[in-house]
Structure formats: C-alpha cells, structure tokens
C-alpha cells in the first residue's frame, strides 16, 4: 500500500451517508496524497451554477434529495474519470451511490486495467447526520463546509479560503424534507453497495462521529499511512 501512496496512484472511494464528512476528509487527504478529488455532487452543482442542460435536468432530483438517473450520472462521472492520466490516483466522493453505478465503475476501470484499491466507509448515525446537515453551510466557489456559530446562531458570510471570499450559502437540499429523503435513499439504494465492496475485500469501516482530526487519523491508518506528516 505504501508504494502505491508514494506514486500517487491510489484509487479510492469515499463512502458514507450525506453529512458523514466525506468532503472534509477528501480535503485533508489531498494534503497528504497527490491524487484528485472527484465529487459527483460538486460536478452536478457546477453544472447547476453554469445553467447547463445537464444541470437543469439534475436540479429537480437534487432539490428533493433523490438520485439523479444513472443514464446521466454514470456518463458524467466516468467521463471525468477517463480524463485522469494513467498513473494518477483519485478519490471518488458521492459515487457510486447504487449497485448499478458500482458495476459501471468497475467495468470502466477494468477496461483500462485498473481497479478501486480501497473503499473508506465513514459511518455516522442518522441523528448526528440530521444535526450536522441542518447546521451546514458551504462556499459557493470552493465548496468548503462551514457551520453556524453555536452562540450567535449565525453562519459566516464569506469564505476565508477563497482569494476573494466566495459567498457562503445553505444548500437547497439541506432542508429537513430533502435531508430525510436523502437519508432514506442512502439506506435503501446506496448502503447495499457496501456488500459489493466487502466481498471484494477492499472495504474499511471508519467510525465517523469523532472530531475531524480523529477520523482523519483512522482514514490514514486504513490507507497504511501514519497521522504525522
Ligand atoms: P452530494 O453533494 O454528494 O450530497 O450530492 C448532492 C445531490 O447530487 C444528491 O442528493 C443527488 O441528487 C445528486 N447526486 C450526487 N451524486 C450522485 C450519484 N452518484 N448518483 C445520483 N445522484 C447523485
């Protein structure tokens, strides 16, 4: 595993329910590994903010917390994966979200003589996910997550990570109804993908309720890396 890390060819899936912290862990992993972060949700939001046909098609599904149909999603993500140079690793976040997508990914990689090396399953209970998502805000430009200040109840207005301070907003699908739907979809359609990867022997279960740094330590350990730089 360490050799693969050094060459930056690791191909990972960050797996878990909405609000588990996949995006946060992806940002931290990017500081350690020279691999790209491919988030299907970010790709859709990019299409939405650019007003593309694909974005318009996805909007209604996204707003009610449903999965965008596979005919659209699989092509969008696999096209992005196909742009990766042969020796370059990547981490998928938010894809695959059903067994059909998982099979399509496996097949596309196999055609290139590649495969997923490790699936990091970040586990968090529904109550905690609901609490996190109702307090979650993100930067419109870089997608960095923020939370409300516990004392004032206010979220920051501008991102401290973007050069000219991207606007911070609450996602349309972080409303109570959409969140309930997203969790139901996760349990019904996405969680079964775990068996697919468990059978392949590449699944690592990571408890995701602790502090971000603690979860990051567990993620690094699952990849055979140590927490220190
Ligand atoms: P996320 O940012 O990963 O929570 O994704 C936001 C929304 O984008 C989801 O609720 C879905 O509507 C859509 N989406 C993202 N990834 C997928 C996927 N792999 N399959 C279908 N829909 C997706």
């Amino acid at each position: 595993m360490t050799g693969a890390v050094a060459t930056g060819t690791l191909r990972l899936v960050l797996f878990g329910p909405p609000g588990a912290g996949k995006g946060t862990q992806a940002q931290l992993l990017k500081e350690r590994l020279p691999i790209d972060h491919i988030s299907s949700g970010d790709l859709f939001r990019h299409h939405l903010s650019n007003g593309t046909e694909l974005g318009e098609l996805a909007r209604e599904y996204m707003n009610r917390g449903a999965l965008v149909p596979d005919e659209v999603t699989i092509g969008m993500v696999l096209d992005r994966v196909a742009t990766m140079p042969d020796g370059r690793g990547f981490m998928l976040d938010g894809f695959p979200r059903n067994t059909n997508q998982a099979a399509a990914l496996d097949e596309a990689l196999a055609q290139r003589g590649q495969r997923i090396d490790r699936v990091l399953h970040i586990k968090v209970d529904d109550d905690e996910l609901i609490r996190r998502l109702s307090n979650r805000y993100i930067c419109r430009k870089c997608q960095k997550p923020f939370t409300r200040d516990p004392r004032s109840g206010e979220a920051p207005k501008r991102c401290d990570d973007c050069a000219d301070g991207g606007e911070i907003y609450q996602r349309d699908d972080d409303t109570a109804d959409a969140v309930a739907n997203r969790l139901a979809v996760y349990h019904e359609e996405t969680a079964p993908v775990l068996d697919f990867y468990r059978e392949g022997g590449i699944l690592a279960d990571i408890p995701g309720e602790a502090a971000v740094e603690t979860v990051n330590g567990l993620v690094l350990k699952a990849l055979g890396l140590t927490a220190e730089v």
Side-chain angles (χ1 to χ4, degrees):
M1 186 67 73
T2 313
V5 169
T7 55
T9 58
L10 266 186
R11 298 185 185 92
L12 308 175
V13 171
L14 286 165
F15 198 95
K22 302 185 293 295
T24 302
Q25 294 301 325
Q27 294 307 326
L28 291 171
L29 268 180
K30 267 176 84 171
E31 292 169 12
R32 291 293 303 267
L33 300 173
I35 63 178
D36 287 349
H37 175 209
I38 304 176
S39 153
S40 48
D42 287 353
L43 290 174
F44 279 128
R45 280 183 288 279
H46 189 74
H47 278 282
L48 269 182
S49 57
N50 286 314
T52 68
E53 203 176 312
L54 194 152
E56 284 314 311
L57 194 152
R59 181 190 305 278
E60 183 254 332
Y61 295 95
M62 292 176 75
N63 283 351
R64 64 184 162 91
L67 294 187
V68 180
D70 284 351
E71 300 76 57
V72 176
T73 306
I74 290 175
M76 177 187 75
V77 176
L78 294 186
D79 280 356
R80 175 71 182 83
V81 169
T83 66
M84 298 299 301
D86 260 356
R88 177 94 179 169
F90 56 81
M91 50 190 143
L92 286 165
D93 162 2
F95 185 95
R97 252 175 160 100
N98 61 31
T99 48
N100 194 29
Q101 294 179 8
L105 173 65
D106 246 29
E107 196 183 314
L109 290 177
Q111 277 173 12
R112 302 173 63 175
Q114 300 172 349
R115 62 186 174 81
I116 294 295
D117 298 303
R118 205 94 176 110
V119 177
L120 302 163
H121 168 216
I122 306 178
K123 283 177 74 169
V124 177
D125 277 355
D126 281 8
D127 287 350
E128 171 65 6
L129 295 169
I130 291 167
R131 193 190 65 74
R132 288 186 189 181
L133 292 170
S134 62
N135 282 301
R136 179 167 81 172
Y137 289 76
I138 60 169
C139 170
R140 210 176 273 286
K141 275 178 74 181
C142 73
Q143 312 282 324
K144 180 180 171 178
F146 292 86
T147 51
R148 262 193 272 251
D149 182 300
R151 267 177 294 176
S152 68
E154 297 280 316
K157 300 270 179 287
R158 294 277 159 191
C159 179
D160 56 5
D161 241 23
C162 292
D164 48 356
E167 183 204 355
I168 292 171
Y169 78 113
Q170 188 166 34
R171 282 170 44 170
D172 289 340
D173 59 350
D174 279 346
T175 58
D177 281 355
V179 165
N181 204 20
R182 286 160 71 203
L183 291 179
V185 167
Y186 176 79
H187 291 300
E188 280 161 34
E189 296 186 52
T190 307
V193 176
L194 288 170
D195 291 337
F196 181 87
Y197 289 127
R198 209 180 298 278
E199 279 162 26
I202 56 171
L203 187 71
D205 289 307
I206 311 230
E209 303 214 357
V212 168
E213 301 73 33
T214 309
V215 177
N216 185 237
L218 297 172
V219 164
L220 294 177
K221 198 169 157 208
L223 294 175
L225 296 165
T226 53
E228 15 346 299
V229 183

PDB file of all heavy atoms in Angstrom, residues 13-28:
ATOM      1  N   VAL A  13     -12.511   5.156  -3.022  1.00  0.00           N
ATOM      2  CA  VAL A  13     -13.892   5.631  -2.936  1.00  0.00           C
ATOM      3  C   VAL A  13     -14.122   6.078  -1.499  1.00  0.00           C
ATOM      4  O   VAL A  13     -13.841   5.326  -0.559  1.00  0.00           O
ATOM      5  CB  VAL A  13     -14.904   4.518  -3.311  1.00  0.00           C
ATOM      6  CG1 VAL A  13     -16.330   4.967  -2.988  1.00  0.00           C
ATOM      7  CG2 VAL A  13     -14.808   4.162  -4.786  1.00  0.00           C
ATOM      8  N   LEU A  14     -14.590   7.322  -1.337  1.00  0.00           N
ATOM      9  CA  LEU A  14     -15.015   7.813  -0.024  1.00  0.00           C
ATOM     10  C   LEU A  14     -16.504   7.565   0.050  1.00  0.00           C
ATOM     11  O   LEU A  14     -17.281   8.132  -0.724  1.00  0.00           O
ATOM     12  CB  LEU A  14     -14.717   9.308   0.102  1.00  0.00           C
ATOM     13  CG  LEU A  14     -13.244   9.640   0.293  1.00  0.00           C
ATOM     14  CD1 LEU A  14     -13.001  11.115   0.053  1.00  0.00           C
ATOM     15  CD2 LEU A  14     -12.775   9.250   1.680  1.00  0.00           C
ATOM     16  N   PHE A  15     -16.883   6.685   0.962  1.00  0.00           N
ATOM     17  CA  PHE A  15     -18.264   6.201   1.000  1.00  0.00           C
ATOM     18  C   PHE A  15     -18.912   6.574   2.327  1.00  0.00           C
ATOM     19  O   PHE A  15     -18.265   6.557   3.368  1.00  0.00           O
ATOM     20  CB  PHE A  15     -18.235   4.670   0.856  1.00  0.00           C
ATOM     21  CG  PHE A  15     -19.535   4.070   0.456  1.00  0.00           C
ATOM     22  CD1 PHE A  15     -19.801   3.808  -0.880  1.00  0.00           C
ATOM     23  CD2 PHE A  15     -20.500   3.765   1.405  1.00  0.00           C
ATOM     24  CE1 PHE A  15     -21.013   3.254  -1.253  1.00  0.00           C
ATOM     25  CE2 PHE A  15     -21.715   3.209   1.035  1.00  0.00           C
ATOM     26  CZ  PHE A  15     -21.961   2.952  -0.303  1.00  0.00           C
ATOM     27  N   GLY A  16     -20.195   6.902   2.287  1.00  0.00           N
ATOM     28  CA  GLY A  16     -20.893   7.195   3.537  1.00  0.00           C
ATOM     29  C   GLY A  16     -22.091   8.069   3.266  1.00  0.00           C
ATOM     30  O   GLY A  16     -22.232   8.639   2.181  1.00  0.00           O
ATOM     31  N   PRO A  17     -22.977   8.192   4.258  1.00  0.00           N
ATOM     32  CA  PRO A  17     -24.201   8.985   4.079  1.00  0.00           C
ATOM     33  C   PRO A  17     -23.898  10.472   3.947  1.00  0.00           C
ATOM     34  O   PRO A  17     -22.794  10.914   4.296  1.00  0.00           O
ATOM     35  CB  PRO A  17     -24.990   8.707   5.367  1.00  0.00           C
ATOM     36  CG  PRO A  17     -23.958   8.305   6.362  1.00  0.00           C
ATOM     37  CD  PRO A  17     -22.871   7.614   5.607  1.00  0.00           C
ATOM     38  N   PRO A  18     -24.884  11.256   3.475  1.00  0.00           N
ATOM     39  CA  PRO A  18     -24.680  12.698   3.399  1.00  0.00           C
ATOM     40  C   PRO A  18     -24.405  13.253   4.791  1.00  0.00           C
ATOM     41  O   PRO A  18     -25.094  12.902   5.745  1.00  0.00           O
ATOM     42  CB  PRO A  18     -26.006  13.233   2.842  1.00  0.00           C
ATOM     43  CG  PRO A  18     -26.989  12.127   2.970  1.00  0.00           C
ATOM     44  CD  PRO A  18     -26.221  10.849   3.015  1.00  0.00           C
ATOM     45  N   GLY A  19     -23.369  14.087   4.898  1.00  0.00           N
ATOM     46  CA  GLY A  19     -23.043  14.678   6.198  1.00  0.00           C
ATOM     47  C   GLY A  19     -22.035  13.862   6.993  1.00  0.00           C
ATOM     48  O   GLY A  19     -21.653  14.249   8.095  1.00  0.00           O
ATOM     49  N   ALA A  20     -21.559  12.749   6.432  1.00  0.00           N
ATOM     50  CA  ALA A  20     -20.607  11.902   7.172  1.00  0.00           C
ATOM     51  C   ALA A  20     -19.222  12.545   7.256  1.00  0.00           C
ATOM     52  O   ALA A  20     -18.417  12.166   8.101  1.00  0.00           O
ATOM     53  CB  ALA A  20     -20.502  10.532   6.516  1.00  0.00           C
ATOM     54  N   GLY A  21     -18.962  13.495   6.364  1.00  0.00           N
ATOM     55  CA  GLY A  21     -17.649  14.156   6.382  1.00  0.00           C
ATOM     56  C   GLY A  21     -16.742  13.695   5.252  1.00  0.00           C
ATOM     57  O   GLY A  21     -15.516  13.845   5.338  1.00  0.00           O
ATOM     58  N   LYS A  22     -17.326  13.166   4.167  1.00  0.00           N
ATOM     59  CA  LYS A  22     -16.512  12.675   3.050  1.00  0.00           C
ATOM     60  C   LYS A  22     -15.706  13.821   2.423  1.00  0.00           C
ATOM     61  O   LYS A  22     -14.521  13.684   2.144  1.00  0.00           O
ATOM     62  CB  LYS A  22     -17.406  12.032   1.968  1.00  0.00           C
ATOM     63  CG  LYS A  22     -18.263  10.880   2.492  1.00  0.00           C
ATOM     64  CD  LYS A  22     -19.044  10.194   1.385  1.00  0.00           C
ATOM     65  CE  LYS A  22     -20.120  11.036   0.728  1.00  0.00           C
ATOM     66  NZ  LYS A  22     -21.228  11.416   1.651  1.00  0.00           N
ATOM     67  N   GLY A  23     -16.388  14.941   2.189  1.00  0.00           N
ATOM     68  CA  GLY A  23     -15.721  16.089   1.556  1.00  0.00           C
ATOM     69  C   GLY A  23     -14.605  16.634   2.434  1.00  0.00           C
ATOM     70  O   GLY A  23     -13.520  16.961   1.934  1.00  0.00           O
ATOM     71  N   THR A  24     -14.853  16.695   3.731  1.00  0.00           N
ATOM     72  CA  THR A  24     -13.843  17.201   4.668  1.00  0.00           C
ATOM     73  C   THR A  24     -12.628  16.281   4.669  1.00  0.00           C
ATOM     74  O   THR A  24     -11.479  16.738   4.603  1.00  0.00           O
ATOM     75  CB  THR A  24     -14.444  17.269   6.096  1.00  0.00           C
ATOM     76  OG1 THR A  24     -15.596  18.108   6.036  1.00  0.00           O
ATOM     77  CG2 THR A  24     -13.464  17.819   7.096  1.00  0.00           C
ATOM     78  N   GLN A  25     -12.869  14.984   4.725  1.00  0.00           N
ATOM     79  CA  GLN A  25     -11.745  14.039   4.717  1.00  0.00           C
ATOM     80  C   GLN A  25     -11.014  14.067   3.370  1.00  0.00           C
ATOM     81  O   GLN A  25      -9.790  13.911   3.325  1.00  0.00           O
ATOM     82  CB  GLN A  25     -12.224  12.612   5.051  1.00  0.00           C
ATOM     83  CG  GLN A  25     -12.739  12.464   6.479  1.00  0.00           C
ATOM     84  CD  GLN A  25     -11.697  12.830   7.543  1.00  0.00           C
ATOM     85  OE1 GLN A  25     -10.500  12.586   7.369  1.00  0.00           O
ATOM     86  NE2 GLN A  25     -12.137  13.441   8.637  1.00  0.00           N
ATOM     87  N   ALA A  26     -11.764  14.301   2.306  1.00  0.00           N
ATOM     88  CA  ALA A  26     -11.118  14.397   0.974  1.00  0.00           C
ATOM     89  C   ALA A  26     -10.143  15.570   0.954  1.00  0.00           C
ATOM     90  O   ALA A  26      -9.021  15.446   0.453  1.00  0.00           O
ATOM     91  CB  ALA A  26     -12.181  14.569  -0.111  1.00  0.00           C
ATOM     92  N   GLN A  27     -10.557  16.713   1.530  1.00  0.00           N
ATOM     93  CA  GLN A  27      -9.670  17.889   1.555  1.00  0.00           C
ATOM     94  C   GLN A  27      -8.409  17.573   2.349  1.00  0.00           C
ATOM     95  O   GLN A  27      -7.304  17.944   1.950  1.00  0.00           O
ATOM     96  CB  GLN A  27     -10.388  19.101   2.192  1.00  0.00           C
ATOM     97  CG  GLN A  27     -11.566  19.635   1.383  1.00  0.00           C
ATOM     98  CD  GLN A  27     -11.216  19.950  -0.065  1.00  0.00           C
ATOM     99  OE1 GLN A  27     -10.104  20.380  -0.348  1.00  0.00           O
ATOM    100  NE2 GLN A  27     -12.131  19.708  -0.979  1.00  0.00           N
ATOM    101  N   LEU A  28      -8.561  16.875   3.468  1.00  0.00           N
ATOM    102  CA  LEU A  28      -7.395  16.545   4.293  1.00  0.00           C
ATOM    103  C   LEU A  28      -6.487  15.540   3.586  1.00  0.00           C
ATOM    104  O   LEU A  28      -5.261  15.653   3.640  1.00  0.00           O
ATOM    105  CB  LEU A  28      -7.843  15.980   5.652  1.00  0.00           C
ATOM    106  CG  LEU A  28      -8.525  17.004   6.565  1.00  0.00           C
ATOM    107  CD1 LEU A  28      -9.123  16.326   7.793  1.00  0.00           C
ATOM    108  CD2 LEU A  28      -7.528  18.091   7.000  1.00  0.00           C
TER     109      LEU A  28
END
